[in-house]
């Protein structure tokens, strides 16, 4: 039988109109379903009937077993009569055997032929009955020459085996039942198929009618005509589909109007962007420039239509347009600025979009970082070199005398202490800048704290004959601050004042209340600081007199730490000075 290939069948179906394709498809589906029902019944019904037959045989064999127990125990000759009687009442073939498989009663054999029947001891159902409650077998009977299903049970009196009772039935009953059911189902399937054909045709017409109208509407929409409306008929689902299509048509018309508005909005977004945006056509000419780019490069509308080389005169920018990606470019006009420039091609090679992100400030911060690293390296290298030199001298084959060695060790200790101070200050700066340092705010009286600090530093002040004045009024409001951190601020400022004030000078620690804060001042009558240095005095490692600062043991980080600590408290810090008239360092703290 030649089968039609699926592709050829699909092409043949495509030649029919939509209603006929639906109708033929429904007919094919119905035929498949009916065939599946017939096949399922033919495959499952025989097994089901055999299972039912086994249950039927087992029950009859077990019911017959008590009837033969007493007869087998006494070898009663009425066994054969009882077997015929049970067979007549049940329609089954009944066989009774003794414990050795010798047939004592057989419903399908005349009594005179019983002695000629061979022993059934080796039959499969008999051997199974010895091991299980019921033994089964299926074979062609040598006596009646037809396939039979056997079920046998052992007859026992306590632990003594008396014999066996076996019942059997012909399998032709199952075959006849299956054939009859198959003919019935086939006839019913044919009748159902014939009755369903008109219904399927009506269903196909009812479903495809609205679909055809929806198809016409879709064709009109692709042409830009949104006036067509889909039919809202054909049942709940198709009605909802028609309503959805009509709503989609209305919304699509609205969306097209919105796209025009969004185009205007996009132009507004490009205008409001802080990054410069440039669109270059495939001919390498400028097609769009947003406001930010115009301001960054002082461009006008006259730049549109010109080439990139004519407008920017930057070779690296032209190379970036040839191979889109991201690069950092420096432009010298109208002023020197650095940009992170990202170029991406438009679809279908229509041109290139270029975004200019000004990173001039980031570059300045990066330079500051590099300067900081260089300063740290320099600050570490100097004491390390001195320590290394003195250690090498002490380890020389001809070491210096004890007095000189003692002097060397004091120098090493001095510079090691300077390294330790530098590392501690660096750790403090790092903790403050990363906001890892947690402040323990409490209510503090500045007069008490300042008095304690002046007392601690009195020894150093006496060494240089410096007078320390404490000018904090007793009724000064308490401040909200971290005691240890505020102590560090005062220590750094007072330590600087004592370092740079000449012998016999004066250092004054004062404070006064303002609106909602307290202003503190540490003043000295030392050499003062030139005006050009004041804006940078709180920077890390910034020194007015580098040689003298290192000689006095400073790390260059004290004032930077003061600035960070005061700012962490929510205050301000600044300095005032005149060369030859001393310096004044101010900071503020919030009132508690």
């Amino acid at each position: 039988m030649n089968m039609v290939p699926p592709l050829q069948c699909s092409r043949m179906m495509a030649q029919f109109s939509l209603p006929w394709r639906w109708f033929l498809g429904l007919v094919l589906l119905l035929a498949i379903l009916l065939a599946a029902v017939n096949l399922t019944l033919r495959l499952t019904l025989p097994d089901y009937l055999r299972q039912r037959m086994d249950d039927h045989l087992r029950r009859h064999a077990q019911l017959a077993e008590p009837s033969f127990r007493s007869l087998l125990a006494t070898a009663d000759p009425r066994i054969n009569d009882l077997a015929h009687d049970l067979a007549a009442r049940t329609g089954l073939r009944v066989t009774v055997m003794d414990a050795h498989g010798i047939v004592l009663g057989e419903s399908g054999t005349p009594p005179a032929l019983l002695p000629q029947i061979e022993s059934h001891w080796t039959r499969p159902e008999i051997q199974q009955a010895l091991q299980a409650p019921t033994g089964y077998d299926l074979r062609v009977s040598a006596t009646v020459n037809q396939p039979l299903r056997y079920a046998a049970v052992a007859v026992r009196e306590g632990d003594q085996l008396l014999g066996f009772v076996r019942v059997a039935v012909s399998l032709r009953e199952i075959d006849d039942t299956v054939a009859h059911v198959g003919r019935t189902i086939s006839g019913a399937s044919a009748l159902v198929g014939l009755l369903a054909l008109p219904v399927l045709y009506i269903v196909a017409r009812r479903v495809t009618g609205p679909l055809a109208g929806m198809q016409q509407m879709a064709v009109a929409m692709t042409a830009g005509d949104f006036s067509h409306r889909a039919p809202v008929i054909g049942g709940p689902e198709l009605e909802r589909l028609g309503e959805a299509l009509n709503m989609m048509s209305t919304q699509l018309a609205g969306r097209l109007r919105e796209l025009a508005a969004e185009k205007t909005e996009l132009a507004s977004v490009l205008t409001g962007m802080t990054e410069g945006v440039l669109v270059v056509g495939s001919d390498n000419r400028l097609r769009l420039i947003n406001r930010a780019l115009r301001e960054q490069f002082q461009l006008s509308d006259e730049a549109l239509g010109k080439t990139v080389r004519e407008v920017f005169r930057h070779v690296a920018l032209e190379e970036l347009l040839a191979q889109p990606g991201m690069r950092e470019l420096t432009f010298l006009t109208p002023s020197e600025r650095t940009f992170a420039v990202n170029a991406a091609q438009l679809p279908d090679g229509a041109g290139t979009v270029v975004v200019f992100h000004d990173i001039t400030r980031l570059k300045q911060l990066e330079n500051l970082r590099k300067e900081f690293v260089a300063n740290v390296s320099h600050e570490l290298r100097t004491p390390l070199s001195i320590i290394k030199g003195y250690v090498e001298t002490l380890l020389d084959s001809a070491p210096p005398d004890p007095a000189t060695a003692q002097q060397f060790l004091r120098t090493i200790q001095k510079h090691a202490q300077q390294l330790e101070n530098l590392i501690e200050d660096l750790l403090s700066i790092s903790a403050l800048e990363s906001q890892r340092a947690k402040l323990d705010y409490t209510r503090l009286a500045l007069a008490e704290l300042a008095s304690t600090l002046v007392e601690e530093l009195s020894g150093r002040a006496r060494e240089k004959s410096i007078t320390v004045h404490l000018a904090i009024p007793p009724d000064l409001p308490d401040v909200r601050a971290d005691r240890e951190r505020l102590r560090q601020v005062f220590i750094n400022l007072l330590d600087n004042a004592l370092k740079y004030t000449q012998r016999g000078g004066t250092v004054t620690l004062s404070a006064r209340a303002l609106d909602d804060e307290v202003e503190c001042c540490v003043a000295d009558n030392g050499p003062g600081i030139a005006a050009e240095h004041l804006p940078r005095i709180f920077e890390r490692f910034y020194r007015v007199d580098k040689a003298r600062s290192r000689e006095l043991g400073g790390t260059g980080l004290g004032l930077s730490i003061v600035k960070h600590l005061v700012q962490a408290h929510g205050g301000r810090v600044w300095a005032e000075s005149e060369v030859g008239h001393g310096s004044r360092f101010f900071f503020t703290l919030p009132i508690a």
Side-chain angles (χ1 to χ4, degrees), residues 310-330:
E310 293 173 339
V311 176
F312 294 95
R313 301 187 181 278
H314 201 288
V315 177
L317 179 59
E318 295 184 65
E319 295 175 352
L320 181 62
L321 292 175
Q323 295 182 346
M326 198 276 286
R327 293 175 63 180
E328 290 185 5
L329 303 179
T330 300

Side-chain angles (χ1 to χ4, degrees), residues 34-330:
L34 293 176
V37 170
N38 279 270
L39 181 60
T40 302
L41 285 174
R42 292 182 182 276
L43 291 177
T44 60
L45 186 59
D47 290 339
Y48 174 76
L49 293 177
R50 289 190 184 96
Q51 184 178 358
R52 298 292 297 174
M53 175 184 289
D54 287 348
D55 293 341
H56 178 72
L57 291 174
R58 176 181 54 78
R59 287 194 299 269
H60 281 81
Q62 291 176 348
L63 290 173
E65 184 265 340
S67 301
F68 289 99
R69 185 180 299 122
S70 60
L71 298 178
L72 286 171
T74 59
D76 195 315
R78 292 178 297 172
I79 291 176
N80 190 44
D81 295 336
L82 183 57
H84 281 77
D85 183 56
L86 288 175
R89 284 186 291 170
T90 61
L92 302 175
R93 182 178 179 183
V94 181
T95 306
V96 183
M97 293 157 276
D98 63 9
H100 302 287
I102 303 301
V103 178
L104 303 178
E106 170 64 52
S107 62
T109 305
L113 298 179
L114 285 177
Q116 301 178 9
I117 299 176
E118 62 181 0
S119 173
H120 285 16
W121 175 256
T122 59
R123 301 295 168 88
E125 66 274 13
I126 301 301
Q127 294 299 313
Q128 291 180 20
L130 292 172
Q131 306 296 328
T134 307
Y136 297 96
D137 192 27
L138 174 64
R139 63 179 181 274
V140 177
S141 173
T143 306
V144 298
N145 195 26
Q146 57 179 295
L148 297 178
R149 181 62 170 172
Y150 296 95
V153 296
V155 181
R156 301 179 186 273
E157 184 72 40
D159 294 334
Q160 181 182 1
L161 177 64
L162 301 178
F164 301 92
V165 175
R166 186 185 69 180
V167 294
V169 66
S170 175
L171 291 182
R172 289 181 180 176
E173 296 183 11
I174 295 179
D175 296 337
D176 294 343
T177 302
V178 172
H180 175 71
V181 172
R183 289 191 298 269
T184 302
I185 295 299
S186 297
S189 299
L191 180 60
V192 170
L194 292 175
L195 294 176
L197 289 177
V199 177
L200 295 179
Y201 182 76
I202 294 173
V203 170
R205 296 291 297 182
R206 182 175 178 82
V207 171
T208 57
L211 290 177
M214 295 174 189
Q215 181 184 13
Q216 295 174 0
M217 175 189 175
V219 173
M221 288 174 60
T222 57
D225 183 4
F226 298 96
S227 61
H228 282 68
R229 287 293 176 265
V232 186
I233 56 175
E237 293 80 6
L238 289 177
E239 289 176 2
R240 288 195 293 269
L241 178 59
E243 292 173 352
L245 285 174
N246 292 332
M247 185 179 299
M248 181 184 69
S249 176
T250 303
Q251 292 179 351
L252 189 57
R255 291 290 176 84
L256 290 177
R257 292 190 296 269
E258 292 174 2
L259 284 176
E262 289 177 1
K263 184 177 180 180
T264 305
E265 293 176 1
L266 178 59
S268 301
V269 170
L270 290 175
T271 302
M273 289 180 61
T274 57
E275 291 82 8
V277 178
L278 170 67
V279 178
V280 181
S282 57
D283 56 356
N284 210 31
R285 295 184 179 274
L286 277 61
R287 292 170 49 189
L288 184 146
I289 308 172
N290 74 334
R291 181 173 60 85
L293 191 66
R294 293 171 188 265
E295 294 176 353
Q296 290 168 350
F297 292 93
Q298 298 181 0
L299 302 177
S300 64
D301 291 338
E302 296 179 356
L304 295 175
K306 295 182 179 180
T307 63
V308 174
R309 175 174 298 182
E310 293 173 339
V311 176
F312 294 95
R313 301 187 181 278
H314 201 288
V315 177
L317 179 59
E318 295 184 65
E319 295 175 352
L320 181 62
L321 292 175
Q323 295 182 346
M326 198 276 286
R327 293 175 63 180
E328 290 185 5
L329 303 179
T330 300

Side-chain angles (χ1 to χ4, degrees), residues 337-367:
R337 302 174 78 176
T338 303
F339 293 86
V341 184
N342 192 353
Q345 284 189 342
L346 292 172
D348 302 326
T352 308
V353 176
V354 188
V355 179
F356 293 76
H357 182 62
D358 192 347
I359 58 172
T360 305
R361 177 59 180 166
L362 294 177
K363 285 295 182 181
Q364 292 172 350
L365 294 175
E366 183 178 351
N367 291 334

